[in-house]
Amino acid sequence: MALNHCGYGLLLCLVLSLPAHAQSDEGAAAFAKHDYRAALLNWRPRAEQGDATAQYGLGRLYFFGLGVQPDFERAVFWFRKAADQNNPYAERRLGLAYSLGHDEVAPDAEQADIWYQKAISGFSKAADGGDVMAQYLLGSMYSEGKGTEPDVVKGNFWFQKAMANFREAAEQGKPSAQYWFGEMYFSGQGVSREVDQAIVWFSKAAEQGDLDAQLQLGEIYTYAQYDHRDSDLAIKWLTKAAEQGDPGAQRRLGVAYAERAHPNDAMMAAYWFRKEADTNASYAVTDGSSEAVKPTNVPSSSQN
């Protein structure tokens, strides 16, 4: 169930977030650069040794098919391992897994709500301690009514907390904060939606090599709905992202060339589609996982 990158919706943007305590983690650093192979190699042995941050990270790789083939059951297995150690990010991800279901596993709203409530409790403690991503996700959960009744007031309270912290770091030139500050303007989270302001901050981050910002700019300049359509700028930013080796960016760049239909664009589209296929093919030899046990369904929250 591989999903699109941030440009196609906020869901994966949130998944790409990292707990504050994980920012110095080598696996987390590789993940932030979309070097999923390196993240896998760093996280897998640590996850098997009981590291909750690595377990959560490994779950994300399997859940979204990043650097590995998508594997819902294995993703849930690792999320549950991390959730058993009170990792609120993993608890929130389990809530989503239950709400979605998969193949023969039917959605379970009751179990989803249980895990969302656990996540809110954990995020509340982290948010009170200044964890900006916990603040952001807490705002999202209150606004969307995940694990609670929808509460726009509480949602905006936490969005505003997060936005103030993102702004401070963004103004200091930190590209990840510039990206997230732009994302809040782009999504209208805690602020009125302003695509022009989003472009300003995405551009600052993208110039420093932030892949997610490059992808967002590629989307903004691709689609007419944002009122900034410019095929040349779209290809400029998607090229920078694709050159970082991200298969999603390579695919989107191929589509951009195919739709533009300038001289040589068909050749360039074919080139980037081949690059995407080569990158995805390389994942097949990456996942030499040594997990001996894999669950056959989504575990109940009452199970050990």
Side-chain angles (χ1 to χ4, degrees), residues 229-246:
R229 191 165 189 176
D230 185 320
S231 62
D232 290 337
L233 284 175
I235 285 177
K236 168 189 172 179
W237 290 113
L238 290 174
T239 298
K240 288 182 179 293
E243 287 175 345
Q244 294 196 49
D246 182 74

Side-chain angles (χ1 to χ4, degrees), residues 187-206:
S187 302
Q189 302 277 21
V191 67
S192 297
R193 188 178 193 190
E194 297 184 40
V195 176
D196 287 340
Q197 276 295 312
I199 289 173
V200 169
W201 291 102
F202 287 151
S203 297
K204 289 178 183 292

